[in-house]
Amino acid sequence: MKPVDSREAFDDMGLRCSWAGTVWRSSPAKRGAQLQGALVARPGSCIRRLAGGHRARQVQFSRFLYNEAVTVAEMASTAAARTAGLVAGRDVLAIQDSSELAFGGEAARARGFGPVGRGGGIGGLLLHAVLAVDASTGALLGPVDVTVRNRTGGKVRPRSERPTADKESQRWLDGMFSAAQVLREAARITVVADRESDIYEEFARRPAGVHLLTRVAQDRRIKTATDENASLFAFSDNLPEQARFVVTIPAAPGRKPRSAELALRHACVQVRKPKNGAAPDLPMTVSLTLLDIRETTAPEQGEPIHWRLVTTHTIDNPGTARMVLDFYRRRWIIEDYFRTLKTAGFDIEAAEIEDPDAMARFVGAVAVTGVIVLQLVRARDGGTDQMLQEAFDPADQGLLESLSTKFEGKTQRQKNPHPKGTLAYAAWVIARLGAWDGYYGKPGPKVMRLGLQDFQLIKYGHQLGSKDV
């Protein structure tokens, strides 16, 4: 089998719609881009359906996915290079999180998929992603890093006896280091993560120029003026309230959107090094800012919000506290991203690829492709202030404008409301191609995915018509 240069294969992808081009070329270097197009058209499919019934394409997709020269790392690196070109001078959040992908029970485990979920009876993969987001506008700029892990191996030593490098938690440090490298041209970098990232070593080893913002998972020992071993949670509970804000809590499964009044407390803390499991070269304390956020009244559904956050940002007034709170609330973007890859858009867990290594490559391709779908969803109202070239090839603008004219009606409500050259303008066109009527509801990931599929077909036909074929 001829090796595939996965970097070359994904050079076309970047963060452009040309990822999803439907032209089939015989060159192995183009198979990655062809797979991207198939993913847009037929997500969650077996290789046969991805190939559209064409035996030759089925063989080529199989060779691509089963080729050891193709790596998720190369796919992620190529996409991250595109992201790096968009962040200069911006205040950027690097939001990281993990999601387990389940592909079956005993049969999946027998095929070599590692354990996911509680009890270890389900076989699957662990996807970890780092996404770059504009801190001010919430614009999704692109992937910083994507890793896919298959949990294999037998029993391991207790966690307290293993260094972080030998634990799954190393992924949080790796994500931080990737953000420092890929986003180095940004004006400011803040790595945002949920409770699994509450790791002392991550704070102790953070690179220069990188801030961290993490939800607290552990009641750590802290050093105060009166107590060498005070409790972080008890200290937090006794802080005086310093500000109140009203925010909108978005809808979630089993929860309606609501307005919530949040009370904020904050203080500088000296977090002590853990007694067990910490590397000997780590400092005895790290200086952080604790931010305690509590909903002041009980909501109709669910529990009231109570977030304890720690950050390397200095908080010395209510305005800075609100800024850090808003940074953390942007973390929901990565939850939307995982939903886009799963039930809301690509249905990746329904894919029928039996080999774990091939599935890992497939997941990597979907993870990169899914970014543009979520970019369009987030840009649809014009709130992200993104320009077309942040997700599309600039040469696509003329075709998008022609399609917009075709879909526009006589009334103002039937016209594309967004300025030409913006991503919101493109999102309106793509949504109309995806069968959105322009009136009711808001187009989601499935509509945008279908619209992208049709756009690529139209683009291909337009390119053929402009050539002597």
Side-chain angles (χ1 to χ4, degrees):
M1 184 185 302
K2 183 180 179 180
V4 176
D5 183 338
S6 58
R7 178 176 292 277
E8 182 182 357
F10 282 87
D11 273 346
D12 290 347
M13 297 185 329
L15 284 177
R16 302 170 184 266
C17 280
S18 56
W19 299 353
T22 55
V23 184
W24 181 259
R25 303 175 180 89
S26 60
S27 169
K30 299 298 182 181
R31 290 174 190 156
Q34 298 303 325
L35 178 59
Q36 299 293 318
L39 288 170
V40 171
R42 303 176 185 87
S45 296
C46 65
I47 294 175
R48 176 177 52 79
R49 289 199 296 273
L50 281 172
H54 298 284
R55 175 61 181 169
R57 294 186 184 184
Q58 180 181 341
V59 171
Q60 288 167 319
F61 280 161
S62 294
R63 286 177 176 171
F64 182 84
L65 290 174
Y66 285 84
N67 195 314
E68 294 182 0
V70 177
T71 68
V72 174
E74 291 286 357
M75 299 180 202
S77 177
T78 301
R82 167 90 177 147
T83 304
L86 299 174
V87 302
R90 285 173 129 155
D91 190 358
V92 179
L93 307 179
I95 305 174
Q96 63 172 331
D97 204 354
S98 298
S99 183
E100 292 184 330
L101 306 173
F103 298 118
E106 291 183 5
R109 292 300 311 277
R111 293 196 302 271
F113 286 96
V116 297
R118 293 183 179 178
I122 303 298
L125 299 172
L126 181 68
L127 169 64
H128 188 81
V130 186
L131 303 180
V133 172
D134 187 294
S136 300
T137 66
L140 175 56
L141 304 176
V144 173
D145 196 15
V146 173
T147 59
V148 183
R149 178 177 179 179
N150 187 26
R151 294 180 173 121
T152 58
K155 293 186 67 175
V156 295
R157 288 179 294 158
R159 286 182 55 84
S160 61
E161 297 178 9
R162 288 179 285 143
T164 301
D166 292 341
K167 302 175 186 176
E168 276 192 357
S169 53
Q170 178 64 35
R171 68 189 187 272
W172 302 101
L173 279 73
D174 292 341
M176 173 182 68
F177 294 133
S178 293
Q181 176 64 25
V182 173
L183 307 177
R184 60 188 179 276
E185 298 299 325
R188 181 169 62 180
I189 304 166
T190 303
V191 179
V192 182
D194 213 11
R195 286 176 285 197
E196 282 190 83
S197 185
D198 182 11
I199 302 168
Y200 184 85
E201 187 167 349
E202 186 176 357
F203 288 97
R205 299 197 189 281
R206 71 181 177 101
V210 173
H211 282 287
L212 299 178
L213 172 58
T214 302
R215 188 174 175 186
V216 174
Q218 304 180 52
D219 189 8
R220 296 188 180 277
R221 296 180 305 136
I222 62 172
K223 180 180 178 180
T224 68
T226 59
D227 190 347
E228 287 284 317
N229 292 289
S231 161
L232 181 65
F233 287 3
F235 179 79
S236 173
D237 292 341
N238 290 320
L239 288 174
E241 181 182 317
Q242 290 154 296
R244 289 196 178 194
F245 300 109
V246 176
V247 301
T248 299
I249 306 300
R255 185 187 72 196
K256 297 178 181 179
R258 70 176 188 274
S259 293
E261 183 183 60
L262 303 180
L264 276 69
R265 300 165 174 84
H266 60 83
C268 296
V269 293
Q270 292 286 320
V271 177
R272 295 180 63 84
K273 179 179 177 179
K275 291 182 178 179
N276 300 313
D281 64 327
L282 297 182
M284 296 307 296
T285 62
V286 292
S287 298
L288 300 173
T289 301
L290 170 67
L291 181 60
D292 184 288
I293 302 116
R294 307 184 190 213
E295 194 168 358
T296 58
T297 58
E300 294 181 5
Q301 294 177 304
E303 296 295 321
I305 287 172
H306 184 194
W307 298 330
R308 292 185 180 97
L309 310 176
V310 285
T311 182
T312 57
H313 284 288
T314 299
I315 298 177
D316 52 13
N317 59 68
T320 308
R322 177 60 189 267
M323 178 193 75
V324 173
L325 169 61
D326 288 343
F327 285 178
Y328 180 74
R329 294 179 66 225
R330 299 278 193 208
R331 201 197 68 81
W332 292 109
I333 294 171
I334 204 163
E335 300 287 355
D336 289 338
Y337 170 70
F338 289 135
R339 281 193 290 270
T340 297
L341 301 185
K342 293 182 179 182
T343 56
F346 286 83
D347 201 15
I348 190 174
E349 290 177 312
E352 301 169 11
I353 299 174
E354 295 187 351
D355 180 78
D357 292 336
M359 178 61 83
R361 297 182 189 102
F362 182 80
V363 170
V366 176
V368 172
T369 306
V371 172
I372 190 172
V373 172
L374 186 57
Q375 281 182 308
L376 290 167
V377 171
R378 293 188 58 76
R380 65 192 175 192
D381 297 325
T384 62
D385 295 330
Q386 289 176 278
M387 301 306 294
L388 180 95
Q389 60 268 26
E390 292 190 29
F392 284 75
D393 190 315
D396 292 336
Q397 182 168 344
L399 179 57
L400 287 164
E401 290 179 5
S402 296
L403 291 169
S404 183
T405 300
K406 176 183 176 181
F407 282 116
E408 287 182 345
K410 295 181 180 180
T411 67
Q412 190 63 34
R413 192 176 177 185
Q414 293 174 313
K415 296 185 182 299
N416 191 329
H418 305 292
K420 294 179 180 179
T422 64
L423 189 57
Y425 184 94
W428 188 90
V429 176
I430 297 301
R432 293 302 307 272
L433 285 170
W436 178 56
D437 63 7
Y439 282 96
Y440 303 106
K442 293 185 177 183
K446 290 183 179 179
V447 169
M448 294 299 186
R449 177 183 60 75
L450 292 171
L452 275 175
Q453 172 190 346
D454 284 357
F455 177 74
Q456 292 305 326
L457 291 171
I458 294 168
K459 180 179 177 179
Y460 177 42
H462 180 75
Q463 290 171 337
L464 287 180
S466 65
K467 296 178 182 179
D468 184 13
V469 295

